[in-house]
Amino acid sequence: MKTHAPATQRSGHILVIEDHPDIRELITTILQADGHHVASAHDGDMGVQMAQRDPPDVILLDLMMPKLHGYQVLQSLRANPATQRSSIIVVSAKAYASDKRKALDMGAVAYLQKPFEAAALRAIVRQHLNKAVVTFWGARGSIAAPGPGTLRYGGNTPCVTLSYGGAQIILDAGTGIRPLGVSLQAGAAGKPLEVNLLITHTHWDHIQGFPFFTPAFVPGNRVNVYGPHSAEKPLDKVLRGQMDPEYFPVALGDMAATITVRDVAMDPFQVGPFTVRAAYMNHPGMTLGYRIEADGLVVAYATDTEPFRALLPTVIRTEGVAEFGRGQDQELVELVRGADVYIADAQYSPEEYAKKTGWGHTNYVDAVTIAIEADVKRLVLFSHDPMHVDAEIDRKLAHCRELMAAAGKSIEVTAAAESVPLEVFAR
Ligand SMILES: [Zn+2]
């Protein structure tokens, strides 16, 4: 893991692919003055080769160039695993909307129109160096649901990564942690890995992938696990329990990596550059939601929770109980307050919730209401019901967007989908 530096000071490795010598020189001078390491290529072919040899953080790409033009370069870089993580910004004098759209469709992250102001160039590069990425490896609640009906949103149970500035946090160890582990181990290229895993609670769907997490089997790796103490037992004991020989052939203690398990509660703690705060969710057993911050960037992961305002009136029939429930929900509202990304339990439709009240999950209408109360920037619908095929999640998403629009709010709503990453920018 890289050491951490404040957002405004992050310097990066930049590649300029530009045939015009004056512009190449100008971009290089401006970015070097900001402390970035800048390399340059004078045609498309040379640009592709340089990018593959030493993948840059950011690539500034001209469109009209000899040998390979900008779109060909874009296509080639996007197809190559080595340059998949590079942010490509097209820099061109072409002002047609169709060209801009094409560049973005083909995987560019931005389009900078020539001629540009030095300040605009510096800002766009800084923005993309300060980018955090949230990736869903599993977004399904309760039990894995693979099959032809769930191909788009995915069938794995919860596992999410937040990557920023070379550091990463893993949220939950559902079945989605298996492909994540394969990917992390492949990316390590033989070097030892250190991974940080935050567990919300130990229901099966949140820990079941852990025994299949490859990095935990590799000597030299470190796996730091954080999560709540259950009603009776420390987290360590519960994780060992699921690897008892009755259930799994390898014991936790026999996994070859150095594994540490730490009980956490509501006191903030630090994981690399991330400050983590937790709050208890309303869910059977002890369950935490997490608010993770770094350089002003906030991602809240608050799944497996049932709003008190929905549940309490069904069990206690006194006047004002819904109001009391809303008061109890403030813990959740404050945890996700102002988040750039709020990953929310949105398992049930209102009709389903009426039948599954008390099961510990949220009616998506309440998820929208809480997102509005907490004034978040983006709501991500999560913990998809195993009975919901892709078309039903599309409908849920469309309905949530309608509710948001009807409330006159511009909060963006998306539905978590495996391998569709979200980009978030530190301020
Ligand atoms: Zn649960």
Side-chain angles (χ1 to χ4, degrees):
M1 261 186 210
K2 283 183 200 164
T3 50
H4 172 59
T8 47
Q9 289 171 24
R10 275 203 78 211
S11 59
H13 168 29
I14 321 278
L15 174 63
V16 184
I17 310 177
E18 165 68 65
D19 62 326
H20 200 296
D22 293 349
I23 298 175
R24 209 162 57 228
E25 190 57 40
L26 177 70
I27 294 176
T28 303
T29 308
I30 292 168
L31 295 179
Q32 278 177 343
D34 270 3
H36 302 301
H37 175 260
V38 187
S40 64
H42 54 69
D43 65 51
D45 190 37
M46 182 183 179
V48 169
Q49 287 181 38
M50 287 177 70
Q52 284 171 357
R53 219 171 23 242
D54 186 12
D57 300 309
V58 174
I59 298 171
L60 296 164
L61 175 65
D62 187 22
L63 284 183
M64 296 174 285
M65 290 183 297
K67 304 209 176 148
L68 295 178
H69 62 61
Y71 291 117
Q72 291 171 299
V73 173
L74 194 49
Q75 198 167 28
S76 157
L77 294 179
R78 285 292 75 132
N80 188 317
T83 47
Q84 217 108 79
R85 282 173 177 225
S86 302
S87 296
I88 304 175
I89 300 169
V90 169
V91 186
S92 173
K94 296 192 84 182
Y96 300 109
S98 58
D99 276 313
K100 293 184 185 178
R101 217 170 24 241
K102 187 90 228 158
L104 298 178
D105 286 350
M106 290 177 69
V109 293
Y111 193 103
L112 180 66
Q113 178 71 51
K114 287 178 189 169
F116 52 80
E117 299 282 335
L121 172 69
R122 296 164 70 192
I124 204 165
V125 167
R126 199 178 315 125
Q127 186 193 28
H128 286 280
L129 283 173
N130 291 342
K131 184 172 62 183
V133 180
V134 176
T135 308
F136 299 96
W137 300 85
R140 192 66 54 175
S142 307
I143 191 165
T150 58
L151 286 177
R152 277 190 295 118
Y153 292 99
N156 280 307
T157 59
C159 179
V160 180
T161 50
L162 166 63
S163 305
Y164 173 68
Q168 187 178 68
I169 275 187
I170 305 169
L171 294 154
D172 276 330
T175 60
I177 204 171
R178 188 196 58 79
L180 167 64
V182 172
S183 159
L184 285 174
Q185 204 52 56
K191 293 197 206 91
L193 274 175
E194 179 166 2
V195 301
N196 294 294
L197 167 62
L198 270 58
I199 302 278
T200 55
H201 64 308
T202 53
H203 285 160
W204 265 339
D205 49 328
H206 295 257
I207 60 168
Q208 206 167 18
F210 190 76
F212 299 88
F213 185 50
T214 316
F217 289 89
V218 177
N221 285 354
R222 292 190 69 89
V223 180
N224 310 315
V225 188
Y226 305 79
H229 189 289
S230 82
E232 293 178 77
K233 296 176 197 158
L235 177 62
D236 178 71
K237 214 161 176 187
V238 184
L239 291 179
R240 279 177 199 284
Q242 84 157 342
M243 297 177 76
D244 183 276
E246 299 283 356
Y247 305 113
F248 197 74
V250 183
L252 184 83
D254 292 338
M255 290 171 118
T258 304
I259 300 172
T260 59
V261 184
R262 182 178 146 190
D263 291 336
V264 292
M266 293 171 74
D267 291 323
F269 55 100
Q270 199 72 24
V271 178
F274 306 104
T275 304
V276 183
R277 189 157 76 72
Y280 287 105
M281 302 286 100
N282 190 37
H283 192 67
M286 299 314 283
T287 301
L288 291 173
Y290 294 107
R291 178 188 179 90
I292 305 160
E293 301 192 33
D295 295 334
L297 180 118
V298 181
V299 173
Y301 180 70
T303 185
D304 289 51
T305 193
E306 181 167 10
F308 287 101
R309 69 188 70 183
L311 178 60
L312 289 185
T314 68
V315 284
I316 302 157
R317 312 222 176 244
T318 53
E319 210 175 317
V321 73
E323 200 45 47
F324 174 79
R326 256 186 288 280
Q328 292 294 111
D329 288 335
Q330 288 314 299
E331 193 91 20
L332 168 63
V333 172
E334 288 314 314
L335 187 78
V336 308
R337 169 84 55 206
D340 295 284
V341 177
Y342 165 30
I343 302 166
D345 186 331
Q347 188 151 336
Y348 302 138
S349 69
E351 300 73 37
E352 288 164 334
Y353 183 71
K355 291 186 204 130
K356 295 180 175 177
T357 308
W359 288 30
H361 290 282
T362 303
N363 161 1
Y364 62 68
V365 177
D366 286 328
V368 171
T369 309
I370 287 163
I372 293 172
E373 283 175 25
D375 196 22
V376 302
K377 312 249 174 347
R378 176 154 39 180
L379 166 65
V380 182
L381 310 174
F382 188 76
S383 196
H384 304 310
D385 193 88
M387 296 299 283
H388 290 181
V389 294
D390 290 332
E392 275 174 277
I393 298 174
D394 287 340
R395 275 197 292 279
K396 164 167 87 171
L397 175 60
H399 192 186
C400 288
R401 285 177 172 164
E402 279 165 27
L403 291 167
M404 205 54 98
K409 299 290 172 186
S410 57
I411 298 169
E412 197 183 323
V413 189
T414 51
E418 277 177 39
S419 60
V420 180
L422 297 180
E423 295 185 342
V424 201
F425 298 101
R427 290 176 286 256

